[in-house]
């Protein structure tokens, strides 16, 4: 357990959804688990003029909603006493000065300061500038760190502009660019599976691997985020950061040690060696679609009739859109290990199931006993079930030589294991000063460099976007990106999930 200095966490956007659902409950759980330092305060910053008591009552409501089975009263008392509120109305020119005066009371607020910016992306750089203006980023006596929520820019140019604006006031070591996928324990497990076992590394290359699929499927639609989503789309929302980071962990070389710098250096190298998608042949390398009305399986297991994306937009006054809710692309990595191996990255809303997985198909075995013989698959499943599955051909007992596919299924979580939300580990890392699960600017830039040209080409193409029925599997037409005819989407981690 790393030691955390006494500190104050300053939470901008504290009344927003992320804070209600993830951050406050996450901080409470960290506190209850004894992971927060004794001297640690939380200052929530919001636009509304709310008293400390009213804010504390609001926090109680957040915890009651999250922890239906209740919580320990002593834990609650300790946690609630850490919590304070500061109103920062955008109309008040002295708002940051007042915040600085409030934070100056060291008997309440330890002077190491971690800022969590859970605000609109357009507010990131003005907040940093104003914090700097009142001396709240000055590290001459205490550390000062700023966590920036996703997205870091909406394309390469805006990411670089944001970087230029904030580095006027912050050193790289003070900046924590979040990708919450890196806080998932199943994602951290990719590196351990690869490098803490002897059996995988020798076959982790183009000699044995036919292709890799990195998939994020959701049954959810865009919900009430129509405005945001329609200017973002699936590629930018999921692939640009979460899925390319997943790919980097699957494909990077072994870091020389587990220090943040060594891991980041390997991820950066890998991301920079992905070949740009050839725009002259975009249609064989990337595919987009939108969900139409259909029926999905809701969280409680029941079927639910849902509207199509365009209908949802129309309700909110948006009359036309070519924004994708399904995106798939084929990427190649230009290095000796991966030369020639396609990495298919896909993400979609309103699919038949919600699942995030890395599925690796191996090449044909040297001995083909029958036409039914399948190629081996190795699946690292990220969510909802964290598991590793290996599909192996095996003889059907009997007089004849025939094979069938059997699965070795290894759950990566035991019933007794702690279940930690990704934001909990990331909040802890922020306070510990450990940036290994945060993104370096070079990673962000490399990711935008890959995605930008596709996003721009798709935005410029106003022809009707392919529709898929909500609750269905991948649109058949998406198969146009496969490199060879015997490749197809793995649509489930269950045995037989390689057949439609
Ligand atoms: C967010 C996206 O970054 O990640 C959402 O904006 C998406 O659209 C979410 O639903 C998925 O995260 P998770 O942890 O639920 O897989």
């Amino acid at each position: 357990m790393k030691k955390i200095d006494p500190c104050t966490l300053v939470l901008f956007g504290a009344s927003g959804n992320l804070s209600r659902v993830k951050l406050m409950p996450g901080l409470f759980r960290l506190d209850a688990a004894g992971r927060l330092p004794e001297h640690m305060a939380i200052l929530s910053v919001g636009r509304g003029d709310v008293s400390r008591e009213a804010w504390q009552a609001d926090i109680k409501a957040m915890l009651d909603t999250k922890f239906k089975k209740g919580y320990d009263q002593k834990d609650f008392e300790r946690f609630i006493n850490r919590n304070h509120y500061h109103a920062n109305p955008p109309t008040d020119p002295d708002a940051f000065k007042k915040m600085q005066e409030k934070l100056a009371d060291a008997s309440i607020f330890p002077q190491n300061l971690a800022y969590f910016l859970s605000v609109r992306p357009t507010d990131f750089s003005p907040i940093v500038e104003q914090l700097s203006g009142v001396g709240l980023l000055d590290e001459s006596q205490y550390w000062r760190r700023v966590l920036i929520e996703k997205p870091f820019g909406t394309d390469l140019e805006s990411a670089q502009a944001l970087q230029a604006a904030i580095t006027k006031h912050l050193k790289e070591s003070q900046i924590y660019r979040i990708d919450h996928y890196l806080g998932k324990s199943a994602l951290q497990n990719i590196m351990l599976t690869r490098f803490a076992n002897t059996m995988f590394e020798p076959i982790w290359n183009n000699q044995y691997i036919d292709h890799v699929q990195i998939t994020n499927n959701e049954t959810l639609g865009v919900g009430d985020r129509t405005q945001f989503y329609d200017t973002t789309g699936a590629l930018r929302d999921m692939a640009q950061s979460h899925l390319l980071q997943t790919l980097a962990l699957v494909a990077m070389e072994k870091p020389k040690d587990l220090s943040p710098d060594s891991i980041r250096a390997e991820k950066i190298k890998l991301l920079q060696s992905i070949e740009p998608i050839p725009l002259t042949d975009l249609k064989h390398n990337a595919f987009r679609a939108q969900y139409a009305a259909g029926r999905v399986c809701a969280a409680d297991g029941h079927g639910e009739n849902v509207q199509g994306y365009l209908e949802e937009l129309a309700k909110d006054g948006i009359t036309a859109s070519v924004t994708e809710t399904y995106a798939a692309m084929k990427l190649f990595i230009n290095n000796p290990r991966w030369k020639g191996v396609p990495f298919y990255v896909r993400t979609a809303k309103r699919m038949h199931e919600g699942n995030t997985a890395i599925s690796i198909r191996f090449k044909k075995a040297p001995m083909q006993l029958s036409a039914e013989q399948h190629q081996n698959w190795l699946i690292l499943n990220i969510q909802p079930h964290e598991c590793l599955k290996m599909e192996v051909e095996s003889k059907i007992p009997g007089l004849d030589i025939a094979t069938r596919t059997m699965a070795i299924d290894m759950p990566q979580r035991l019933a007794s294991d702690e279940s930690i939300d990704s934001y909990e580990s990331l909040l802890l890392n922020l306070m510990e000063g450990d940036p290994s699960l945060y993104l370096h600017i070079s990673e962000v830039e490399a990711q935008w460099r890959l995605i930008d040209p596709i996003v721009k080409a798709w935005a410029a193409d106003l022809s009707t976007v392919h529709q898929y029925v909500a609750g269905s599997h991948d649109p058949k037409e998406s198969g146009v990106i496969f490199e060879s005819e015997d490749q197809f989407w793995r649509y489930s981690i269950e045995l037989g999930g390689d057949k439609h």
Side-chain angles (χ1 to χ4, degrees), residues 150 180-181 184 216 218 225 237-238 242 349 383:
K150 154 181 174 281
H180 80 274
Y181 264 50
K184 291 182 193 276
N216 164 265
E218 294 178 285
R225 299 195 301 164
D237 187 39
M238 284 298 303
H242 305 327
K349 301 237 180 249
Q383 58 190 21

Side-chain angles (χ1 to χ4, degrees), residues 10 21 35 38 104-105 122 126 137 179 191-192 219 341 346 364 407 433:
V10 183
V21 177
R35 301 302 289 257
E38 191 187 336
D105 185 346
T122 45
L137 297 178
D179 176 326
M191 209 166 65
L192 294 188
T219 53
V341 177
R346 74 182 148 147
K364 286 207 168 87

Side-chain angles (χ1 to χ4, degrees), residues 477-497:
E477 293 76 358
S478 63
V480 66
I481 71 171
F482 287 123
E483 195 59 9
S484 76
E485 275 184 7
D486 75 337
Q487 292 174 346
F488 42 79
W489 293 121
R490 175 101 207 182
Y491 68 85
S492 157
I493 64 165
E494 298 309 324
L495 207 57

Side-chain angles (χ1 to χ4, degrees), residues 213-216 243 326-328 344-347 474 489-491:
Q213 298 183 16
I214 296 184
T215 306
N216 164 265
L243 301 186
Y326 177 105
Y344 299 108
V345 174
R346 74 182 148 147
T347 177
D474 302 76
W489 293 121
R490 175 101 207 182
Y491 68 85

Side-chain angles (χ1 to χ4, degrees), residues 93-358:
D94 295 327
F96 280 78
K97 185 81 200 107
K98 290 178 189 155
M99 189 191 321
Q100 183 262 327
E101 284 160 12
K102 179 174 248 164
L103 282 169
D105 185 346
S107 67
I108 302 177
F109 299 108
Q111 297 295 294
N112 294 305
L113 301 174
Y115 303 97
F116 194 123
L117 307 193
S118 174
V119 294
R120 286 182 310 201
T122 45
D123 289 340
F124 293 151
S125 108
I127 290 179
V128 167
E129 195 179 325
Q130 298 193 72
L131 287 172
S132 167
V134 295
L136 281 174
L137 297 178
D138 181 281
E139 282 203 311
S140 46
Q141 287 194 63
Y142 300 97
W143 54 252
R144 307 279 154 92
R145 300 174 189 144
V146 180
L147 180 150
I148 300 201
E149 249 302 332
K150 154 181 174 281
F152 196 91
T154 51
D155 56 15
L156 180 61
E157 206 184 331
S158 58
Q160 287 175 332
L162 175 59
Q163 171 72 0
I166 63 176
T167 48
K168 284 193 197 134
H169 310 285
L170 293 165
K171 301 190 288 273
E172 178 66 25
S173 61
Q174 292 178 274
I175 307 172
Y176 287 67
R177 299 175 196 83
I178 204 168
D179 176 326
H180 80 274
Y181 264 50
L182 295 181
K184 291 182 193 276
S185 109
L187 232 77
Q188 293 159 26
N189 202 14
I190 297 172
M191 209 166 65
L192 294 188
T193 302
R194 289 188 56 195
F195 302 128
N197 295 292
T198 320
M199 58 197 279
F200 296 114
E201 189 56 14
I203 54 171
W204 214 258
N205 54 50
N206 56 5
Q207 203 184 333
Y208 295 98
I209 292 179
D210 174 72
H211 74 274
V212 178
Q213 298 183 16
I214 296 184
T215 306
N216 164 265
N217 280 340
E218 294 178 285
T219 53
L220 294 173
V222 301
D224 53 14
R225 299 195 301 164
T226 44
Q227 301 283 353
F228 158 79
Y229 199 87
D230 203 48
T231 51
T232 304
L235 260 193
R236 282 199 271 207
D237 187 39
M238 284 298 303
Q240 185 272 339
S241 191
H242 305 327
L243 301 186
L244 285 179
Q245 280 292 316
T246 308
L247 187 155
L249 289 167
V250 171
M252 71 183 192
E253 296 301 315
K254 186 163 90 47
K256 74 176 190 314
D257 53 44
L258 289 184
S259 70
D261 285 349
S262 306
I263 297 174
R264 281 168 159 194
E266 289 306 335
K267 280 200 289 161
I268 293 169
K269 243 191 277 165
L270 191 283
L271 288 165
Q272 291 178 342
S273 60
I274 302 176
E275 290 174 7
I277 282 202
L279 288 180
T280 46
D281 193 20
L282 187 58
K283 79 173 192 330
H284 290 115
N285 290 279
F287 182 85
R288 67 173 166 175
Q290 294 172 330
Y291 60 81
R295 192 168 171 81
V296 291
C297 185
D300 62 5
H302 289 100
E304 186 193 344
N305 292 332
V306 295
Q307 288 188 315
Y309 178 60
L310 294 176
E311 294 161 274
E312 290 175 326
L313 293 184
K315 244 181 10 209
D316 290 342
I318 305 170
T319 49
S321 169
V322 291
T323 302
E324 75 287 356
T325 61
Y326 177 105
M329 58 181 174
K330 174 171 61 187
L331 298 172
F332 286 98
I333 299 168
N334 190 2
N335 69 15
R337 184 194 284 267
W338 294 116
K339 191 110 200 124
V341 177
F343 281 71
Y344 299 108
V345 174
R346 74 182 148 147
T347 177
K349 301 237 180 249
R350 291 283 190 231
M351 293 298 276
H352 64 290
E353 66 167 13
N355 200 65
T356 305
I358 298 142

Side-chain angles (χ1 to χ4, degrees), residues 321-477:
S321 169
V322 291
T323 302
E324 75 287 356
T325 61
Y326 177 105
M329 58 181 174
K330 174 171 61 187
L331 298 172
F332 286 98
I333 299 168
N334 190 2
N335 69 15
R337 184 194 284 267
W338 294 116
K339 191 110 200 124
V341 177
F343 281 71
Y344 299 108
V345 174
R346 74 182 148 147
T347 177
K349 301 237 180 249
R350 291 283 190 231
M351 293 298 276
H352 64 290
E353 66 167 13
N355 200 65
T356 305
I358 298 142
S359 311
I360 301 172
R361 191 173 81 161
F362 288 84
K363 292 197 165 161
K364 286 207 168 87
M367 193 181 273
Q368 286 293 313
L369 298 174
S370 70
E372 285 76 54
Q373 186 177 321
H374 285 185
Q375 286 161 253
N376 302 126
W377 285 90
L378 173 70
I379 299 171
L380 306 176
N381 208 54
I382 306 296
Q383 58 190 21
H385 307 296
E386 292 166 50
C387 65
L388 183 148
K389 278 196 169 193
M390 215 185 281
E391 289 182 0
V392 178
E393 290 305 284
S394 158
K395 182 182 177 321
I396 304 173
L399 296 175
D400 301 316
I401 294 284
T403 61
R404 66 183 166 201
T405 310
M406 304 292 267
I408 300 171
D409 187 349
M410 190 191 84
Q412 290 180 328
R413 174 171 292 283
L414 303 178
S416 55
D417 289 338
E418 297 180 271
S419 111
I420 299 170
D421 185 80
S422 53
Y423 276 98
E424 285 169 45
S425 39
L426 291 166
L427 278 163
L428 208 58
N429 290 163
L430 169 70
M431 292 182 271
E432 289 166 348
D434 177 355
S436 37
L437 298 181
Y438 286 87
L439 305 182
H440 189 270
I441 185 63
S442 307
E443 293 174 82
V444 176
E445 286 177 342
Q447 291 166 181
W448 280 127
R449 253 185 216 111
L450 284 168
I451 298 291
D452 264 3
I454 313 171
V455 171
K456 287 192 178 121
W458 278 354
D461 176 0
L462 299 180
S463 50
T464 310
V465 175
H466 183 87
Q467 305 281 305
Y468 59 100
V469 175
S472 59
H473 295 148
D474 302 76
K476 203 166 81 282
E477 293 76 358

